[in-house]
Amino acid sequence: MLPGELQATIQEAEQVAGCAIEVVPDATANEFDNLTLRVDDGVCSATIAYRGESISRCALLHEVLHVKRYWLNAVPILRPAARLRYEPEAQMVNDLIEHLIIIPEERRFVEAESNAHWSSVMANLAELPRVSFPSSQAEVDALQRSLVLQRAMMDIALPDLDNTRLYDRLRDENLFESSAAFIDRLRNMLDDKERALIFVSREFRYDVTAFCVGRFNVRANPKSFERSPLVQ
Ligand SMILES: [Zn+2]
């Protein structure tokens, strides 16, 4: 299913980590993006789960690109500093940065499938509710983050998709200009993921001290997942 370049990536990842990357059916898996990477007592494991009859080429390729970055490139992963708090927020910011980098790569291999997948994801996101008045500041913040995140995905990673509805909505919410400035700055720091994570966390008005970064050290002995504070 995979192009030779990514078959080589899998071979290298499996060799370095000392385990096979399992691809398994799972009726409870999400529609897309089910990757579990672990290091337990120095032993690595990687599972890509999928729902339905078989995994799509686009989904498999997407996960291999994550594995390449997390294991072979040891890119930082945003995590909550304390368990059980800010997990969804950390994952949202981390996934955003990962996907801004991975999707253009993915499109290099399976452009039509990738565009089809992400256009349906973005269409679902575009159904965001209007915030009714009076509403809590937390609801307003969540909506604004979601709209700005969608624009980052569209402008940076998915330039072929139709952005008309999203742009109209950003104008309605008076976010068009500010989100353009945010994206210009973000676009120029994507090669430094930790910097991008801090920038987005701050722009989204999260408490940066609630987060840390983890990195897989699969080439080390023993293999580990090391956490460290975000570099301020
Ligand atoms: Zn992903």
Side-chain angles (χ1 to χ4, degrees), residues 152-171:
M153 292 280 285
M154 286 283 200
D155 285 11
I156 297 176
L158 296 162
D160 294 345
L161 300 193
D162 181 2
N163 58 23
T164 317
R165 281 179 67 203
L166 174 65
Y167 277 21
D168 287 347
R169 186 73 193 272
L170 286 159
R171 287 190 189 93

PDB file of all heavy atoms in Angstrom, residues 152-171:
ATOM      1  N   ALA A 152      -5.917  27.926  10.092  1.00  0.00           N
ATOM      2  CA  ALA A 152      -4.525  27.479   9.979  1.00  0.00           C
ATOM      3  C   ALA A 152      -4.452  26.221   9.110  1.00  0.00           C
ATOM      4  O   ALA A 152      -3.597  26.104   8.227  1.00  0.00           O
ATOM      5  CB  ALA A 152      -3.938  27.222  11.368  1.00  0.00           C
ATOM      6  N   MET A 153      -5.368  25.282   9.352  1.00  0.00           N
ATOM      7  CA  MET A 153      -5.394  24.049   8.554  1.00  0.00           C
ATOM      8  C   MET A 153      -5.618  24.375   7.074  1.00  0.00           C
ATOM      9  O   MET A 153      -4.931  23.858   6.194  1.00  0.00           O
ATOM     10  CB  MET A 153      -6.508  23.126   9.043  1.00  0.00           C
ATOM     11  CG  MET A 153      -6.275  22.550  10.425  1.00  0.00           C
ATOM     12  SD  MET A 153      -5.139  21.158  10.413  1.00  0.00           S
ATOM     13  CE  MET A 153      -6.204  19.877   9.737  1.00  0.00           C
ATOM     14  N   MET A 154      -6.587  25.206   6.810  1.00  0.00           N
ATOM     15  CA  MET A 154      -6.928  25.557   5.416  1.00  0.00           C
ATOM     16  C   MET A 154      -5.773  26.294   4.733  1.00  0.00           C
ATOM     17  O   MET A 154      -5.355  25.942   3.634  1.00  0.00           O
ATOM     18  CB  MET A 154      -8.154  26.473   5.399  1.00  0.00           C
ATOM     19  CG  MET A 154      -9.454  25.783   5.683  1.00  0.00           C
ATOM     20  SD  MET A 154     -10.001  24.864   4.216  1.00  0.00           S
ATOM     21  CE  MET A 154     -11.726  24.697   4.583  1.00  0.00           C
ATOM     22  N   ASP A 155      -5.289  27.352   5.385  1.00  0.00           N
ATOM     23  CA  ASP A 155      -4.319  28.231   4.719  1.00  0.00           C
ATOM     24  C   ASP A 155      -2.959  27.563   4.558  1.00  0.00           C
ATOM     25  O   ASP A 155      -2.278  27.742   3.550  1.00  0.00           O
ATOM     26  CB  ASP A 155      -4.123  29.522   5.523  1.00  0.00           C
ATOM     27  CG  ASP A 155      -5.300  30.486   5.380  1.00  0.00           C
ATOM     28  OD1 ASP A 155      -6.338  30.072   4.846  1.00  0.00           O
ATOM     29  OD2 ASP A 155      -5.173  31.651   5.808  1.00  0.00           O
ATOM     30  N   ILE A 156      -2.555  26.803   5.581  1.00  0.00           N
ATOM     31  CA  ILE A 156      -1.192  26.267   5.566  1.00  0.00           C
ATOM     32  C   ILE A 156      -1.146  24.877   4.928  1.00  0.00           C
ATOM     33  O   ILE A 156      -0.257  24.579   4.143  1.00  0.00           O
ATOM     34  CB  ILE A 156      -0.596  26.225   6.995  1.00  0.00           C
ATOM     35  CG1 ILE A 156      -0.493  27.656   7.555  1.00  0.00           C
ATOM     36  CG2 ILE A 156       0.773  25.538   7.006  1.00  0.00           C
ATOM     37  CD1 ILE A 156      -0.002  27.747   8.996  1.00  0.00           C
ATOM     38  N   ALA A 157      -2.124  24.024   5.278  1.00  0.00           N
ATOM     39  CA  ALA A 157      -2.009  22.616   4.870  1.00  0.00           C
ATOM     40  C   ALA A 157      -2.935  22.215   3.733  1.00  0.00           C
ATOM     41  O   ALA A 157      -2.657  21.247   3.031  1.00  0.00           O
ATOM     42  CB  ALA A 157      -2.277  21.717   6.079  1.00  0.00           C
ATOM     43  N   LEU A 158      -4.044  22.931   3.551  1.00  0.00           N
ATOM     44  CA  LEU A 158      -5.079  22.471   2.615  1.00  0.00           C
ATOM     45  C   LEU A 158      -5.491  23.583   1.647  1.00  0.00           C
ATOM     46  O   LEU A 158      -6.672  23.950   1.563  1.00  0.00           O
ATOM     47  CB  LEU A 158      -6.304  21.981   3.413  1.00  0.00           C
ATOM     48  CG  LEU A 158      -6.046  20.766   4.305  1.00  0.00           C
ATOM     49  CD1 LEU A 158      -7.128  20.616   5.372  1.00  0.00           C
ATOM     50  CD2 LEU A 158      -5.958  19.500   3.463  1.00  0.00           C
ATOM     51  N   PRO A 159      -4.525  24.106   0.905  1.00  0.00           N
ATOM     52  CA  PRO A 159      -4.825  25.274   0.068  1.00  0.00           C
ATOM     53  C   PRO A 159      -5.807  24.996  -1.068  1.00  0.00           C
ATOM     54  O   PRO A 159      -6.363  25.944  -1.628  1.00  0.00           O
ATOM     55  CB  PRO A 159      -3.444  25.674  -0.470  1.00  0.00           C
ATOM     56  CG  PRO A 159      -2.634  24.420  -0.410  1.00  0.00           C
ATOM     57  CD  PRO A 159      -3.134  23.667   0.789  1.00  0.00           C
ATOM     58  N   ASP A 160      -6.030  23.720  -1.400  1.00  0.00           N
ATOM     59  CA  ASP A 160      -6.941  23.421  -2.515  1.00  0.00           C
ATOM     60  C   ASP A 160      -8.405  23.368  -2.087  1.00  0.00           C
ATOM     61  O   ASP A 160      -9.295  23.301  -2.936  1.00  0.00           O
ATOM     62  CB  ASP A 160      -6.602  22.062  -3.146  1.00  0.00           C
ATOM     63  CG  ASP A 160      -5.234  22.078  -3.808  1.00  0.00           C
ATOM     64  OD1 ASP A 160      -4.699  23.182  -4.014  1.00  0.00           O
ATOM     65  OD2 ASP A 160      -4.717  20.991  -4.115  1.00  0.00           O
ATOM     66  N   LEU A 161      -8.668  23.361  -0.791  1.00  0.00           N
ATOM     67  CA  LEU A 161     -10.063  23.229  -0.348  1.00  0.00           C
ATOM     68  C   LEU A 161     -10.775  24.579  -0.388  1.00  0.00           C
ATOM     69  O   LEU A 161     -10.148  25.633  -0.328  1.00  0.00           O
ATOM     70  CB  LEU A 161     -10.128  22.658   1.071  1.00  0.00           C
ATOM     71  CG  LEU A 161      -9.508  21.281   1.283  1.00  0.00           C
ATOM     72  CD1 LEU A 161      -9.937  20.717   2.637  1.00  0.00           C
ATOM     73  CD2 LEU A 161      -9.866  20.307   0.196  1.00  0.00           C
ATOM     74  N   ASP A 162     -12.088  24.499  -0.444  1.00  0.00           N
ATOM     75  CA  ASP A 162     -12.908  25.704  -0.529  1.00  0.00           C
ATOM     76  C   ASP A 162     -13.013  26.363   0.859  1.00  0.00           C
ATOM     77  O   ASP A 162     -13.588  25.779   1.779  1.00  0.00           O
ATOM     78  CB  ASP A 162     -14.297  25.315  -1.040  1.00  0.00           C
ATOM     79  CG  ASP A 162     -15.216  26.524  -1.171  1.00  0.00           C
ATOM     80  OD1 ASP A 162     -14.769  27.658  -0.902  1.00  0.00           O
ATOM     81  OD2 ASP A 162     -16.395  26.320  -1.532  1.00  0.00           O
ATOM     82  N   ASN A 163     -12.452  27.545   0.989  1.00  0.00           N
ATOM     83  CA  ASN A 163     -12.440  28.197   2.306  1.00  0.00           C
ATOM     84  C   ASN A 163     -13.523  29.273   2.452  1.00  0.00           C
ATOM     85  O   ASN A 163     -13.528  30.024   3.424  1.00  0.00           O
ATOM     86  CB  ASN A 163     -11.060  28.800   2.583  1.00  0.00           C
ATOM     87  CG  ASN A 163     -10.656  29.804   1.503  1.00  0.00           C
ATOM     88  OD1 ASN A 163     -11.511  30.359   0.825  1.00  0.00           O
ATOM     89  ND2 ASN A 163      -9.371  30.028   1.355  1.00  0.00           N
ATOM     90  N   THR A 164     -14.450  29.344   1.483  1.00  0.00           N
ATOM     91  CA  THR A 164     -15.413  30.458   1.453  1.00  0.00           C
ATOM     92  C   THR A 164     -16.237  30.549   2.733  1.00  0.00           C
ATOM     93  O   THR A 164     -16.357  31.628   3.326  1.00  0.00           O
ATOM     94  CB  THR A 164     -16.395  30.277   0.270  1.00  0.00           C
ATOM     95  OG1 THR A 164     -15.655  29.867  -0.864  1.00  0.00           O
ATOM     96  CG2 THR A 164     -17.133  31.557  -0.032  1.00  0.00           C
ATOM     97  N   ARG A 165     -16.785  29.402   3.162  1.00  0.00           N
ATOM     98  CA  ARG A 165     -17.664  29.446   4.343  1.00  0.00           C
ATOM     99  C   ARG A 165     -16.889  29.826   5.593  1.00  0.00           C
ATOM    100  O   ARG A 165     -17.358  30.595   6.427  1.00  0.00           O
ATOM    101  CB  ARG A 165     -18.332  28.077   4.567  1.00  0.00           C
ATOM    102  CG  ARG A 165     -19.496  27.841   3.645  1.00  0.00           C
ATOM    103  CD  ARG A 165     -20.104  26.476   3.868  1.00  0.00           C
ATOM    104  NE  ARG A 165     -20.744  26.346   5.162  1.00  0.00           N
ATOM    105  CZ  ARG A 165     -20.956  25.170   5.763  1.00  0.00           C
ATOM    106  NH1 ARG A 165     -20.558  24.051   5.204  1.00  0.00           N
ATOM    107  NH2 ARG A 165     -21.565  25.115   6.921  1.00  0.00           N
ATOM    108  N   LEU A 166     -15.701  29.255   5.703  1.00  0.00           N
ATOM    109  CA  LEU A 166     -14.881  29.556   6.884  1.00  0.00           C
ATOM    110  C   LEU A 166     -14.502  31.035   6.909  1.00  0.00           C
ATOM    111  O   LEU A 166     -14.606  31.698   7.946  1.00  0.00           O
ATOM    112  CB  LEU A 166     -13.630  28.680   6.892  1.00  0.00           C
ATOM    113  CG  LEU A 166     -12.627  28.996   8.008  1.00  0.00           C
ATOM    114  CD1 LEU A 166     -13.237  28.708   9.380  1.00  0.00           C
ATOM    115  CD2 LEU A 166     -11.343  28.211   7.818  1.00  0.00           C
ATOM    116  N   TYR A 167     -14.081  31.559   5.763  1.00  0.00           N
ATOM    117  CA  TYR A 167     -13.691  32.977   5.716  1.00  0.00           C
ATOM    118  C   TYR A 167     -14.884  33.878   6.040  1.00  0.00           C
ATOM    119  O   TYR A 167     -14.741  34.872   6.754  1.00  0.00           O
ATOM    120  CB  TYR A 167     -13.107  33.321   4.340  1.00  0.00           C
ATOM    121  CG  TYR A 167     -11.635  32.972   4.165  1.00  0.00           C
ATOM    122  CD1 TYR A 167     -11.012  32.019   4.978  1.00  0.00           C
ATOM    123  CD2 TYR A 167     -10.868  33.603   3.185  1.00  0.00           C
ATOM    124  CE1 TYR A 167      -9.673  31.703   4.814  1.00  0.00           C
ATOM    125  CE2 TYR A 167      -9.523  33.297   3.020  1.00  0.00           C
ATOM    126  CZ  TYR A 167      -8.926  32.343   3.832  1.00  0.00           C
ATOM    127  OH  TYR A 167      -7.596  32.043   3.661  1.00  0.00           O
ATOM    128  N   ASP A 168     -16.062  33.520   5.526  1.00  0.00           N
ATOM    129  CA  ASP A 168     -17.265  34.317   5.844  1.00  0.00           C
ATOM    130  C   ASP A 168     -17.518  34.313   7.352  1.00  0.00           C
ATOM    131  O   ASP A 168     -17.836  35.338   7.946  1.00  0.00           O
ATOM    132  CB  ASP A 168     -18.501  33.749   5.127  1.00  0.00           C
ATOM    133  CG  ASP A 168     -18.466  34.062   3.638  1.00  0.00           C
ATOM    134  OD1 ASP A 168     -17.646  34.908   3.221  1.00  0.00           O
ATOM    135  OD2 ASP A 168     -19.255  33.439   2.890  1.00  0.00           O
ATOM    136  N   ARG A 169     -17.360  33.124   7.921  1.00  0.00           N
ATOM    137  CA  ARG A 169     -17.608  33.000   9.362  1.00  0.00           C
ATOM    138  C   ARG A 169     -16.584  33.804  10.175  1.00  0.00           C
ATOM    139  O   ARG A 169     -16.932  34.464  11.158  1.00  0.00           O
ATOM    140  CB  ARG A 169     -17.552  31.514   9.741  1.00  0.00           C
ATOM    141  CG  ARG A 169     -17.917  31.188  11.162  1.00  0.00           C
ATOM    142  CD  ARG A 169     -19.406  31.319  11.418  1.00  0.00           C
ATOM    143  NE  ARG A 169     -19.708  31.309  12.836  1.00  0.00           N
ATOM    144  CZ  ARG A 169     -19.930  30.230  13.576  1.00  0.00           C
ATOM    145  NH1 ARG A 169     -19.923  29.040  13.002  1.00  0.00           N
ATOM    146  NH2 ARG A 169     -20.185  30.318  14.862  1.00  0.00           N
ATOM    147  N   LEU A 170     -15.327  33.746   9.749  1.00  0.00           N
ATOM    148  CA  LEU A 170     -14.293  34.528  10.438  1.00  0.00           C
ATOM    149  C   LEU A 170     -14.611  36.027  10.363  1.00  0.00           C
ATOM    150  O   LEU A 170     -14.418  36.760  11.334  1.00  0.00           O
ATOM    151  CB  LEU A 170     -12.917  34.247   9.831  1.00  0.00           C
ATOM    152  CG  LEU A 170     -12.295  32.888  10.194  1.00  0.00           C
ATOM    153  CD1 LEU A 170     -11.223  32.492   9.187  1.00  0.00           C
ATOM    154  CD2 LEU A 170     -11.690  32.923  11.601  1.00  0.00           C
ATOM    155  N   ARG A 171     -15.119  36.464   9.215  1.00  0.00           N
ATOM    156  CA  ARG A 171     -15.487  37.892   9.089  1.00  0.00           C
ATOM    157  C   ARG A 171     -16.655  38.215  10.004  1.00  0.00           C
ATOM    158  O   ARG A 171     -16.658  39.233  10.693  1.00  0.00           O
ATOM    159  CB  ARG A 171     -15.828  38.226   7.633  1.00  0.00           C
ATOM    160  CG  ARG A 171     -14.618  38.284   6.730  1.00  0.00           C
ATOM    161  CD  ARG A 171     -14.934  38.863   5.349  1.00  0.00           C
ATOM    162  NE  ARG A 171     -13.792  38.700   4.473  1.00  0.00           N
ATOM    163  CZ  ARG A 171     -13.616  37.657   3.657  1.00  0.00           C
ATOM    164  NH1 ARG A 171     -14.531  36.699   3.559  1.00  0.00           N
ATOM    165  NH2 ARG A 171     -12.528  37.576   2.913  1.00  0.00           N
TER     166      ARG A 171
END
